[in-house]
Amino acid sequence: MSPETAKSQETKTKLLEGALRTLTEQGIARTSARTVAAAAGVNQALVFYHFGSVDELLAAACRYGAEKAVGRYRERLAAVGSLSELLAVGREIHEHERAGGHVALLGQLLAGAPAHPAVGPATAAGLQLWITEIEQVLRRVLAATPLGEFADPVGLARAVAAAFVGIELYEGVDEAGAGAALDALEQLGALVGAVESLGPVAQRAVRHHLRRRGRGPRPDGPGSGP
């Protein structure tokens, strides 16, 4: 890598970090080329040189921030062995991200999406990174349970991600209520854990009951063949 390319990449990284810091500390309404450049310690003309517009910088910063965040927890998620553990890890991640200001950042990105066309798709793409990781965990931990053939990992991963996003935003106006919601999710995980601990006979009974209630195997799931 040439010195010029290295310098350019360093400047872009400073701008991305500066944009994330500005969004978190000042909000999207006060985020501009000037405020981002000041946070990054560079000339504001470099915003347009490297990204073309403030909106494109914000979109790139959103993707950059999401990739960093998911990267911090990828190994932790890969080690999860049950749904209850996944929910517990989710709460742990929530606490760490809130302390780091990233929950406030997400709120700013969601609030600013209607006025900044490039931000909405970038925020969705960032959330998709989380959804992909959660889906992989769900496929693994549910496969050996009676729920494995009935659950939809893709939809369930989106539901889990959406639940945590909603709780993060809700926490800003009702911290106790958000805590109660997280407690309820953990209780749900404990209930699933109880099903997981059942013996083979009891697990067959659970499967039979779910089938009788019309919750047949998913078209692409175990037991869906001829």
Side-chain angles (χ1 to χ4, degrees):
M1 181 180 291
S2 68
E4 292 79 13
T5 303
K7 181 65 175 177
S8 176
Q9 186 59 53
E10 180 185 357
T11 300
K12 289 178 71 174
T13 300
K14 285 182 179 179
L15 286 167
L16 293 170
E17 296 281 2
L20 293 174
R21 190 159 59 252
T22 303
L23 283 166
T24 303
E25 296 174 357
Q26 301 189 43
I28 198 164
R30 295 184 179 181
T31 298
S32 64
R34 181 182 61 79
T35 56
V36 170
V42 302
N43 189 297
Q44 73 180 63
L46 292 172
V47 169
F48 305 99
Y49 176 78
H50 287 290
F51 296 97
S53 69
V54 174
D55 274 12
E56 289 300 327
L57 168 58
L58 295 181
C62 177
R63 292 188 291 268
Y64 171 79
E67 288 166 359
K68 284 186 64 178
V70 172
R72 284 195 293 271
Y73 301 107
R74 187 167 280 121
E75 288 187 7
R76 183 75 176 88
L77 288 168
V80 167
S82 67
L83 181 60
S84 57
E85 186 181 354
L86 172 61
L87 293 171
V89 169
R91 187 163 194 168
E92 175 186 320
I93 291 173
H94 168 78
E95 296 297 333
H96 289 168
E97 294 298 288
R98 182 180 64 168
H102 303 119
V103 171
L105 171 61
L106 177 60
Q108 288 298 318
L109 291 170
L110 292 172
H116 300 269
V119 171
T123 303
L127 290 172
Q128 183 60 46
L129 293 175
W130 286 107
I131 291 168
T132 298
E133 294 295 325
I134 295 168
E135 180 188 340
Q136 291 175 357
V137 176
L138 289 172
R139 286 187 183 279
R140 185 176 71 253
V141 302
L142 292 177
T145 74
L147 306 179
E149 68 181 84
F150 305 97
D152 171 17
V154 177
L156 189 55
R158 291 184 179 277
V160 171
F164 273 92
V165 169
I167 289 170
E168 287 170 355
L169 298 178
Y170 180 39
E171 191 170 42
V173 295
D174 184 358
E175 186 172 353
L182 287 168
D183 289 341
L185 285 177
E186 289 190 359
Q187 290 166 4
L188 178 61
L191 290 174
V192 174
V195 173
E196 293 173 354
S197 67
L198 296 174
V201 174
Q203 289 196 10
R204 283 197 296 271
V206 171
R207 289 191 179 95
H208 179 68
H209 176 73
L210 290 173
R211 290 187 181 114
R212 290 190 62 185
R213 293 294 298 266
R215 304 293 185 183
R218 293 175 289 110
D220 63 341
S224 60

